[in-house]
Amino acid sequence: MACSSLFSPNFIPISTTPPAKQYWVSSQPCRFAHYNNSKREFPLPAVASIPYQPINVDYLEGEFSGHGVTFEGIGDSCVAKMRLDNGSTATLMLPSGLITSYKTPMWHGGTIELLHTSVSKGENGGAVIQGGVSLALDCSSDGQVSWSPRNWTLLGVKGNAQESIQVELISRDLENTVEVKYIVTLQEDILSSELVVSNSKPSLLQLRGSIVSHLTVSTPDATYAIGLEGSNFFNRPPFLTNFGIIPPDFGQKNESGFGQLWGQVARVGPLCGWGTRNGNTDEAAESSQREGEEEMAGEEDDNYKHLTEELSLIYTSAPRNFTVIDRGRRNSVVVGRDGFDELYMFSPGSRYEYYSTYSYVCVGQSAVLKPIIVGPEEQWRGGQQLHNPNL
């Protein structure tokens, strides 16, 4: 499977400090596209083709080693490996900020991988990594081109291998008016991803996006979401991100007719405001879109939701914590969120082989239907926790 990107490969350095401390940002805004059965909204170059600034691994090892963290160079990238004495581990890639692994101890004495990651060969022969936990965030303000934090610089490492380890990354826009800190913390039974967005602009800042997590399961047929009963939701096409995994035939085969409605919605344009809308959309198309939204809205009536069918939902009133149970692997994950008001849930369905490329469910702490507003000289915090209750 090829991995795709929606970003320009052109980058501009905004610091004259030594290479290991330089900030690099994209000169083009983040673009989110909705999945379409027949075509994609934007040309998508392979993620592996995006040029990252080479990282000085020796510098990182000398400056930040200890605290339970080690660094390993892989091509122009770097892997930060966190490990606690109780056996919990997490792997974070730099400068992409992708968390590729979270292994945790289990009640039976062994360890288990909670994240789903796919590695494939890119068009240029390099390895392309998808899945895990990634950040897809778009920052925009009135009359200005949007910006997305994509290349991260290591700001600091705290903690110790006995209790908890914290790795802090930072990214700034070209004008140094928007700063995003990404804080990954590994505790004995929790992996948390926290965002701190600071707005130095004289205008309001709008945030859209999600912290997207691919949870590995034996198959969605053996997987259940517990605790979502009574939550309002909207059916939405899955959105494409740099590291998202979506089956190429998703939505084409569904007995409930969801795929047919999906196609109708795709023709009238994006529903949640991401990507480029057609300014000439006529009233008939807008009316069709509103009718589609009404038909695709609902309230969750199942407190033990079986994830065997294809689904792509955004919950607008979900509890702050809910549980994903995989009967096949006899484990569970409690997913929590802070700051975000929406929950994104995606399942490729169960018509694939057990323990295969599509044996996962995707959850995201999101601002999709409604953006998060950060005022001038204000700061916003939000994040996600993956809790292992199986110790």
Side-chain angles (χ1 to χ4, degrees), residues 173-184:
D173 69 345
L174 189 60
E175 293 80 21
N176 286 325
T177 57
V178 179
E179 177 187 273
V180 181
K181 291 182 180 179
Y182 186 34
I183 305 167
V184 178

Side-chain angles (χ1 to χ4, degrees), residues 130-295:
Q130 295 172 283
V133 179
S134 62
L135 174 65
L137 185 67
D138 182 88
C139 308
S140 61
S141 57
D142 294 340
Q144 297 189 18
V145 176
S146 60
W147 167 79
S148 300
R150 295 185 47 250
N151 288 345
W152 299 92
T153 297
L154 181 60
L155 185 62
V157 178
K158 301 177 182 178
N160 56 71
Q162 292 75 44
E163 299 176 356
S164 68
I165 302 168
Q166 185 178 93
V167 176
E168 186 172 356
L169 310 179
I170 191 169
S171 184
R172 296 189 179 103
D173 69 345
L174 189 60
E175 293 80 21
N176 286 325
T177 57
V178 179
E179 177 187 273
V180 181
K181 291 182 180 179
Y182 186 34
I183 305 167
V184 178
T185 304
L186 176 66
Q187 301 178 52
E188 290 189 349
D189 57 354
I190 295 176
L191 178 69
S192 66
S193 303
E194 182 184 12
L195 289 174
V196 181
V197 181
S198 301
N199 178 26
S200 299
K201 292 177 177 290
S203 58
L204 297 174
L205 184 69
Q206 291 190 356
L207 307 179
R208 290 186 185 271
S210 180
I211 299 174
V212 183
S213 300
H214 296 71
L215 304 180
T216 190
V217 297
S218 55
T219 172
D221 188 50
T223 306
Y224 299 80
I226 314 299
L228 296 177
E229 184 178 13
S231 303
N232 296 323
F233 67 81
F234 290 85
N235 283 293
R236 287 294 186 269
F239 52 87
L240 300 176
T241 67
N242 278 337
F243 304 106
I245 303 175
I246 300 177
D249 56 350
F250 185 86
Q252 294 181 359
K253 184 179 180 181
N254 194 311
E255 295 178 358
S256 67
F258 177 66
Q260 182 178 1
L261 181 57
W262 189 316
Q264 176 184 354
V265 173
R267 285 193 296 273
V268 300
L271 290 179
C272 61
W274 291 4
T276 303
R277 293 192 61 117
N278 183 355
N280 297 322
T281 302
D282 56 27
E283 294 182 2
E286 293 289 350
S287 175
S288 176
Q289 175 174 317
R290 287 193 296 270
E291 292 175 2
E293 288 185 0
E294 292 175 0
E295 292 178 12

